[in-house]
Every structure is written in C-alpha cells, then in structure tokens.
Amino acid sequence: MFVVSLTYKVPDEIVDFHRPGHMAWLKEAFDAGIFLASGRRVPATGGVLLSKVDRATLDASLAKDPFYSNGVAEFEIIEFTATSVADGYENLLDN
C-alpha cells in the first residue's frame, strides 16, 4: 500500500489555478480504482492520497496529475504493509 504526500511548492494562486485540473484527474483516478482515499493536509500545505495499486500503476497515474506535470507540488511516496486494521477495513490488509 502507498501513502502519497503532496507538498505545495508554489504560491496559493498557482495551486488554485491548477486545482480544477487536479480534481478532474483525481476523479478519473478514483474511477479507475487507483486511490482509496484523498484529502487536504491541515493546514492546507498539500494533500494526501492512499493507494493499493502496484507501484508502476501508481507512478503512471501520478505523472498525469497537473500538480505533478506543472511543478505545483512535491510528491513523497511511502510504501507500507498493512498488517492490522480496524473492523470494516479488512480490504486494506496486504495478503
């Protein structure tokens, strides 16, 4: 499983300019089953994505994100193995 942490590296007005494209890309990625969850960081310095696809699929999808292709954010990808989860989240376990 992967946690993708985005950190904005440009002023807010540039982030806001690219946000509609990022949101459209994000919807397509959710529809394709790439991501399990997403959201803004608090405070709003970037975002976080949760994915359970393989690394090559994740990398290919991230490359299409306008935040990536336009240099709006840095992307840190953290891979981990889910070994324990709360009831109802068993689909997150790595087998």
Side-chain angles (χ1 to χ4, degrees):
M1 184 170 324
F2 298 95
V3 174
V4 182
S5 177
L6 288 71
T7 303
Y8 301 140
K9 55 185 198 173
V10 298
D12 289 346
E13 58 270 12
I14 296 173
V15 173
D16 291 342
F17 177 81
H18 291 285
R19 190 178 313 282
H22 169 75
M23 297 307 293
W25 162 81
L26 193 57
K27 182 184 180 325
E28 289 178 15
F30 267 103
D31 290 347
I34 305 292
F35 297 114
L36 301 171
S38 69
R40 290 185 182 172
R41 289 170 48 178
V42 178
T45 58
V48 176
L49 305 165
L50 181 63
S51 179
K52 198 173 174 188
V53 298
D54 62 88
R55 181 63 189 256
T57 301
L58 177 62
D59 287 344
S61 180
L62 292 175
K64 297 176 186 175
D65 181 357
F67 279 4
Y68 179 84
S69 60
N70 291 293
V72 173
E74 292 180 345
F75 288 65
E76 179 184 9
I77 300 170
I78 302 164
E79 184 173 7
F80 75 100
T81 301
T83 55
S84 300
V85 295
D87 288 345
Y89 293 93
E90 291 79 11
N91 64 317
L92 298 178
L93 288 170
D94 290 315
N95 299 332

